[in-house]
PDB file of all heavy atoms in Angstrom:
ATOM      1  N   ILE C  11    -131.913  78.472  22.995  1.00  0.00           N
ATOM      2  CA  ILE C  11    -130.885  77.905  23.872  1.00  0.00           C
ATOM      3  C   ILE C  11    -130.769  76.388  23.716  1.00  0.00           C
ATOM      4  O   ILE C  11    -129.947  75.767  24.385  1.00  0.00           O
ATOM      5  CB  ILE C  11    -131.190  78.242  25.352  1.00  0.00           C
ATOM      6  CG1 ILE C  11    -132.598  77.784  25.742  1.00  0.00           C
ATOM      7  CG2 ILE C  11    -130.965  79.712  25.636  1.00  0.00           C
ATOM      8  CD1 ILE C  11    -132.912  77.935  27.218  1.00  0.00           C
ATOM      9  N   HIS C  23    -128.591  64.167  39.770  1.00  0.00           N
ATOM     10  CA  HIS C  23    -129.665  64.815  40.538  1.00  0.00           C
ATOM     11  C   HIS C  23    -130.123  63.869  41.641  1.00  0.00           C
ATOM     12  O   HIS C  23    -129.724  62.697  41.679  1.00  0.00           O
ATOM     13  CB  HIS C  23    -130.844  65.166  39.616  1.00  0.00           C
ATOM     14  CG  HIS C  23    -131.504  63.957  39.033  1.00  0.00           C
ATOM     15  ND1 HIS C  23    -131.031  63.327  37.899  1.00  0.00           N
ATOM     16  CD2 HIS C  23    -132.570  63.226  39.444  1.00  0.00           C
ATOM     17  CE1 HIS C  23    -131.773  62.286  37.636  1.00  0.00           C
ATOM     18  NE2 HIS C  23    -132.721  62.191  38.558  1.00  0.00           N
ATOM     19  N   ASN C  31    -127.741  60.841  53.333  1.00  0.00           N
ATOM     20  CA  ASN C  31    -126.494  60.108  53.048  1.00  0.00           C
ATOM     21  C   ASN C  31    -126.445  59.677  51.578  1.00  0.00           C
ATOM     22  O   ASN C  31    -125.366  59.624  50.981  1.00  0.00           O
ATOM     23  CB  ASN C  31    -126.252  58.937  54.005  1.00  0.00           C
ATOM     24  CG  ASN C  31    -127.391  57.974  54.043  1.00  0.00           C
ATOM     25  OD1 ASN C  31    -128.338  58.113  53.299  1.00  0.00           O
ATOM     26  ND2 ASN C  31    -127.285  56.995  54.935  1.00  0.00           N
ATOM     27  N   LEU C  34    -125.356  62.878  49.720  1.00  0.00           N
ATOM     28  CA  LEU C  34    -123.934  63.182  49.937  1.00  0.00           C
ATOM     29  C   LEU C  34    -123.073  62.274  49.065  1.00  0.00           C
ATOM     30  O   LEU C  34    -122.099  62.729  48.450  1.00  0.00           O
ATOM     31  CB  LEU C  34    -123.569  63.015  51.422  1.00  0.00           C
ATOM     32  CG  LEU C  34    -122.166  63.498  51.839  1.00  0.00           C
ATOM     33  CD1 LEU C  34    -121.981  64.981  51.525  1.00  0.00           C
ATOM     34  CD2 LEU C  34    -121.925  63.243  53.328  1.00  0.00           C
ATOM     35  N   LEU C  37    -123.237  63.483  45.442  1.00  0.00           N
ATOM     36  CA  LEU C  37    -122.439  64.721  45.288  1.00  0.00           C
ATOM     37  C   LEU C  37    -120.949  64.405  45.280  1.00  0.00           C
ATOM     38  O   LEU C  37    -120.199  64.930  44.446  1.00  0.00           O
ATOM     39  CB  LEU C  37    -122.768  65.699  46.424  1.00  0.00           C
ATOM     40  CG  LEU C  37    -124.036  66.539  46.208  1.00  0.00           C
ATOM     41  CD1 LEU C  37    -124.548  67.089  47.534  1.00  0.00           C
ATOM     42  CD2 LEU C  37    -123.778  67.687  45.242  1.00  0.00           C
ATOM     43  N   VAL C  47    -132.624  69.112  42.607  1.00  0.00           N
ATOM     44  CA  VAL C  47    -133.492  68.235  43.387  1.00  0.00           C
ATOM     45  C   VAL C  47    -134.831  68.163  42.670  1.00  0.00           C
ATOM     46  O   VAL C  47    -135.421  69.203  42.335  1.00  0.00           O
ATOM     47  CB  VAL C  47    -133.704  68.811  44.804  1.00  0.00           C
ATOM     48  CG1 VAL C  47    -134.723  67.987  45.576  1.00  0.00           C
ATOM     49  CG2 VAL C  47    -132.371  68.893  45.552  1.00  0.00           C
ATOM     50  N   ASN C  52    -141.171  64.697  38.420  1.00  0.00           N
ATOM     51  CA  ASN C  52    -140.096  65.246  37.588  1.00  0.00           C
ATOM     52  C   ASN C  52    -140.118  66.775  37.528  1.00  0.00           C
ATOM     53  O   ASN C  52    -139.705  67.376  36.551  1.00  0.00           O
ATOM     54  CB  ASN C  52    -140.213  64.663  36.169  1.00  0.00           C
ATOM     55  CG  ASN C  52    -138.863  64.657  35.468  1.00  0.00           C
ATOM     56  OD1 ASN C  52    -137.820  64.613  36.114  1.00  0.00           O
ATOM     57  ND2 ASN C  52    -138.879  64.718  34.151  1.00  0.00           N
ATOM     58  N   GLN C  57    -132.083  72.982  44.722  1.00  0.00           N
ATOM     59  CA  GLN C  57    -130.751  72.394  44.528  1.00  0.00           C
ATOM     60  C   GLN C  57    -130.138  72.085  45.874  1.00  0.00           C
ATOM     61  O   GLN C  57    -130.560  72.649  46.902  1.00  0.00           O
ATOM     62  CB  GLN C  57    -129.876  73.362  43.735  1.00  0.00           C
ATOM     63  CG  GLN C  57    -129.674  74.714  44.390  1.00  0.00           C
ATOM     64  CD  GLN C  57    -128.731  75.596  43.585  1.00  0.00           C
ATOM     65  OE1 GLN C  57    -127.653  75.178  43.220  1.00  0.00           O
ATOM     66  NE2 GLN C  57    -129.140  76.833  43.304  1.00  0.00           N
ATOM     67  N   ILE C  58    -129.159  71.175  45.890  1.00  0.00           N
ATOM     68  CA  ILE C  58    -128.510  70.813  47.139  1.00  0.00           C
ATOM     69  C   ILE C  58    -127.011  70.712  46.913  1.00  0.00           C
ATOM     70  O   ILE C  58    -126.560  70.336  45.820  1.00  0.00           O
ATOM     71  CB  ILE C  58    -129.086  69.503  47.703  1.00  0.00           C
ATOM     72  CG1 ILE C  58    -128.640  69.294  49.148  1.00  0.00           C
ATOM     73  CG2 ILE C  58    -128.721  68.289  46.840  1.00  0.00           C
ATOM     74  CD1 ILE C  58    -129.454  68.280  49.913  1.00  0.00           C
ATOM     75  N   ILE C  63    -125.397  70.121  53.231  1.00  0.00           N
ATOM     76  CA  ILE C  63    -125.543  68.866  53.980  1.00  0.00           C
ATOM     77  C   ILE C  63    -124.634  68.887  55.217  1.00  0.00           C
ATOM     78  O   ILE C  63    -125.063  68.567  56.326  1.00  0.00           O
ATOM     79  CB  ILE C  63    -125.216  67.643  53.086  1.00  0.00           C
ATOM     80  CG1 ILE C  63    -126.246  67.519  51.964  1.00  0.00           C
ATOM     81  CG2 ILE C  63    -125.174  66.354  53.914  1.00  0.00           C
ATOM     82  CD1 ILE C  63    -125.951  66.416  50.952  1.00  0.00           C
ATOM     83  N   SER C  66    -125.861  71.090  57.960  1.00  0.00           N
ATOM     84  CA  SER C  66    -127.029  70.575  58.685  1.00  0.00           C
ATOM     85  C   SER C  66    -126.643  69.517  59.706  1.00  0.00           C
ATOM     86  O   SER C  66    -127.401  69.221  60.618  1.00  0.00           O
ATOM     87  CB  SER C  66    -128.040  69.991  57.697  1.00  0.00           C
ATOM     88  OG  SER C  66    -127.580  68.759  57.196  1.00  0.00           O
ATOM     89  N   ARG C  72    -118.821  67.971  67.084  1.00  0.00           N
ATOM     90  CA  ARG C  72    -118.278  67.167  65.992  1.00  0.00           C
ATOM     91  C   ARG C  72    -119.315  67.091  64.868  1.00  0.00           C
ATOM     92  O   ARG C  72    -120.443  67.562  65.033  1.00  0.00           O
ATOM     93  CB  ARG C  72    -117.965  65.753  66.491  1.00  0.00           C
ATOM     94  CG  ARG C  72    -119.198  65.050  67.002  1.00  0.00           C
ATOM     95  CD  ARG C  72    -118.935  63.722  67.673  1.00  0.00           C
ATOM     96  NE  ARG C  72    -120.224  63.147  68.036  1.00  0.00           N
ATOM     97  CZ  ARG C  72    -120.963  62.440  67.188  1.00  0.00           C
ATOM     98  NH1 ARG C  72    -120.516  62.207  65.957  1.00  0.00           N
ATOM     99  NH2 ARG C  72    -122.139  61.976  67.535  1.00  0.00           N
ATOM    100  N   MET C  75    -122.491  62.347  62.062  1.00  0.00           N
ATOM    101  CA  MET C  75    -122.768  61.568  60.856  1.00  0.00           C
ATOM    102  C   MET C  75    -124.080  60.790  60.938  1.00  0.00           C
ATOM    103  O   MET C  75    -124.720  60.556  59.921  1.00  0.00           O
ATOM    104  CB  MET C  75    -121.626  60.567  60.609  1.00  0.00           C
ATOM    105  CG  MET C  75    -120.293  61.193  60.349  1.00  0.00           C
ATOM    106  SD  MET C  75    -120.236  62.196  58.849  1.00  0.00           S
ATOM    107  CE  MET C  75    -119.933  60.919  57.623  1.00  0.00           C
ATOM    108  N   PRO C  92    -133.009  79.181  39.602  1.00  0.00           N
ATOM    109  CA  PRO C  92    -133.670  79.790  38.453  1.00  0.00           C
ATOM    110  C   PRO C  92    -134.017  78.761  37.399  1.00  0.00           C
ATOM    111  O   PRO C  92    -133.248  77.830  37.157  1.00  0.00           O
ATOM    112  CB  PRO C  92    -132.613  80.757  37.917  1.00  0.00           C
ATOM    113  CG  PRO C  92    -131.319  80.220  38.376  1.00  0.00           C
ATOM    114  CD  PRO C  92    -131.587  79.472  39.640  1.00  0.00           C
ATOM    115  N   GLN C  95    -137.681  78.352  30.346  1.00  0.00           N
ATOM    116  CA  GLN C  95    -138.406  77.466  29.445  1.00  0.00           C
ATOM    117  C   GLN C  95    -137.501  77.151  28.256  1.00  0.00           C
ATOM    118  O   GLN C  95    -136.554  77.896  27.976  1.00  0.00           O
ATOM    119  CB  GLN C  95    -139.666  78.185  28.932  1.00  0.00           C
ATOM    120  CG  GLN C  95    -140.592  78.642  30.029  1.00  0.00           C
ATOM    121  CD  GLN C  95    -141.773  77.711  30.209  1.00  0.00           C
ATOM    122  OE1 GLN C  95    -142.062  76.921  29.328  1.00  0.00           O
ATOM    123  NE2 GLN C  95    -142.423  77.785  31.350  1.00  0.00           N
ATOM    124  N   THR C  99    -134.553  82.856  25.311  1.00  0.00           N
ATOM    125  CA  THR C  99    -133.474  83.284  24.400  1.00  0.00           C
ATOM    126  C   THR C  99    -132.123  83.202  25.109  1.00  0.00           C
ATOM    127  O   THR C  99    -132.059  83.136  26.351  1.00  0.00           O
ATOM    128  CB  THR C  99    -133.680  84.741  23.971  1.00  0.00           C
ATOM    129  OG1 THR C  99    -133.574  85.576  25.140  1.00  0.00           O
ATOM    130  CG2 THR C  99    -135.024  84.944  23.285  1.00  0.00           C
ATOM    131  N   GLY C 101    -130.091  85.619  25.376  1.00  0.00           N
ATOM    132  CA  GLY C 101    -129.972  86.834  26.189  1.00  0.00           C
ATOM    133  C   GLY C 101    -130.506  86.642  27.593  1.00  0.00           C
ATOM    134  O   GLY C 101    -129.901  87.090  28.578  1.00  0.00           O
ATOM    135  N   GLU C 102    -131.650  85.928  27.710  1.00  0.00           N
ATOM    136  CA  GLU C 102    -132.227  85.663  29.032  1.00  0.00           C
ATOM    137  C   GLU C 102    -131.329  84.717  29.835  1.00  0.00           C
ATOM    138  O   GLU C 102    -131.130  84.895  31.045  1.00  0.00           O
ATOM    139  CB  GLU C 102    -133.612  85.011  28.873  1.00  0.00           C
ATOM    140  CG  GLU C 102    -134.708  85.979  28.499  1.00  0.00           C
ATOM    141  CD  GLU C 102    -135.994  85.260  28.101  1.00  0.00           C
ATOM    142  OE1 GLU C 102    -135.997  84.639  27.005  1.00  0.00           O
ATOM    143  OE2 GLU C 102    -136.956  85.299  28.866  1.00  0.00           O
ATOM    144  N   LEU C 126    -128.466  74.314  32.056  1.00  0.00           N
ATOM    145  CA  LEU C 126    -127.643  75.175  31.210  1.00  0.00           C
ATOM    146  C   LEU C 126    -126.556  75.744  32.131  1.00  0.00           C
ATOM    147  O   LEU C 126    -126.876  76.340  33.168  1.00  0.00           O
ATOM    148  CB  LEU C 126    -128.520  76.308  30.656  1.00  0.00           C
ATOM    149  CG  LEU C 126    -127.942  77.166  29.543  1.00  0.00           C
ATOM    150  CD1 LEU C 126    -127.711  76.343  28.299  1.00  0.00           C
ATOM    151  CD2 LEU C 126    -128.892  78.300  29.226  1.00  0.00           C
ATOM    152  N   TYR C 138    -118.183  83.248  19.520  1.00  0.00           N
ATOM    153  CA  TYR C 138    -118.800  84.418  18.876  1.00  0.00           C
ATOM    154  C   TYR C 138    -117.753  85.510  18.624  1.00  0.00           C
ATOM    155  O   TYR C 138    -117.718  86.124  17.564  1.00  0.00           O
ATOM    156  CB  TYR C 138    -119.908  84.948  19.796  1.00  0.00           C
ATOM    157  CG  TYR C 138    -120.567  86.213  19.330  1.00  0.00           C
ATOM    158  CD1 TYR C 138    -121.452  86.213  18.245  1.00  0.00           C
ATOM    159  CD2 TYR C 138    -120.297  87.426  19.944  1.00  0.00           C
ATOM    160  CE1 TYR C 138    -122.053  87.368  17.824  1.00  0.00           C
ATOM    161  CE2 TYR C 138    -120.891  88.602  19.533  1.00  0.00           C
ATOM    162  CZ  TYR C 138    -121.767  88.578  18.472  1.00  0.00           C
ATOM    163  OH  TYR C 138    -122.357  89.743  18.049  1.00  0.00           O
TER     164      TYR C 138
END
Side-chain angles (χ1 to χ4, degrees):
Chain C
I11 55 173
H23 64 276
N31 55 5
L34 189 59
L37 278 160
V47 174
N52 206 26
Q57 59 177 310
I58 193 163
I63 294 175
S66 74
R72 61 188 183 85
M75 297 296 277
Q95 302 259 343
T99 64
E102 283 169 289
L126 192 65
Y138 175 73

